[in-house]
Amino acid sequence: MNRPPFSPDVALSARRALGMSPQQVAEHMNACGVPTDVSLVHAWESGEHGPAENELIALADVLWCRTTELMGIGEPRTLTQHRLARQFTTAKLARSIGMDTVRYERAEEQGVWPGDERQTAALLRLLNLTPLQLSKVTAQADPSWPAASIPAKSNPSRVRSR
């Protein structure tokens, strides 16, 4: 999976605003269970390397900011951005909604929501999305219905009049 967008300037500013050293950031990241060393923090802040999803989520916690700030975006526009804004890795969200991780990753990559009614309801709740917001980030006509239950549109040329 691709690395999320990342704003090195925001990370550097957030760290400095907290009065933390790169070493302290690395120590706090390790305390969060995300192995990090000071050279990695420097690489993120210089733009040489971007954090992986789990690193981005932990870094946002350590720097007391939102993941969307570290991604350099205002409002999330994609399913991936919505997920990261709520600090879910793909595996954790897929597990939480009862979907296979590979299937969920494919949904993000293709922009098509394949979930059933229960999975859709769980996704909306966990990501704090409305059905309209989900439909804007996916190709599904009505995200409140699972794809298999979306009624077919009637064909006017086949409708009989009485």
Side-chain angles (χ1 to χ4, degrees):
M1 180 144 268
N2 296 332
R3 291 191 181 272
F6 182 70
S7 175
D9 294 336
V10 172
L12 179 62
S13 294
R15 177 181 61 76
R16 287 182 175 162
L18 292 171
M20 295 175 74
S21 69
Q23 180 63 41
Q24 289 171 315
V25 170
E27 289 169 2
H28 282 85
M29 296 278 295
N30 285 309
C32 290
V34 179
T36 310
D37 63 33
V38 70
S39 64
L40 191 53
V41 175
H42 284 297
W44 294 336
E45 291 181 352
S46 70
E48 182 182 320
H49 186 68
E53 290 183 353
N54 65 323
E55 294 167 334
L56 177 74
I57 291 167
L59 184 61
D61 285 343
V62 168
L63 297 178
W64 290 65
C65 64
R66 297 181 333 212
T67 52
T68 53
E69 291 176 56
L70 292 177
M71 289 189 295
I73 62 171
E75 290 298 316
R77 292 193 183 116
T78 66
L79 189 55
T80 302
Q81 291 174 354
H82 280 284
R83 176 179 52 77
L84 289 171
R86 291 305 214 181
Q87 297 196 326
F88 280 100
T89 61
T90 53
K92 183 179 176 184
L93 184 61
R95 250 190 335 271
S96 297
I97 65 173
M99 183 179 280
D100 176 72
T101 302
V102 172
R103 187 170 181 223
Y104 179 81
E105 287 173 344
R106 194 174 314 119
E108 282 192 0
E109 291 168 5
Q110 296 174 352
V112 176
W113 181 243
D116 61 25
E117 193 171 330
R118 182 186 54 76
Q119 292 165 331
T120 301
L123 182 78
L124 295 176
R125 181 178 44 79
L126 291 171
L127 297 186
N128 195 30
L129 293 172
T130 65
L132 180 59
Q133 287 171 314
L134 180 60
S135 71
K136 286 181 180 179
V137 297
T138 64
Q140 186 169 329
D142 184 344
S144 64
W145 294 333
S149 69
I150 296 176
K153 294 182 181 179
S154 63
N155 184 344
S157 63
R158 301 185 91 195
V159 176
R160 293 184 192 173
S161 59
R162 292 184 184 202

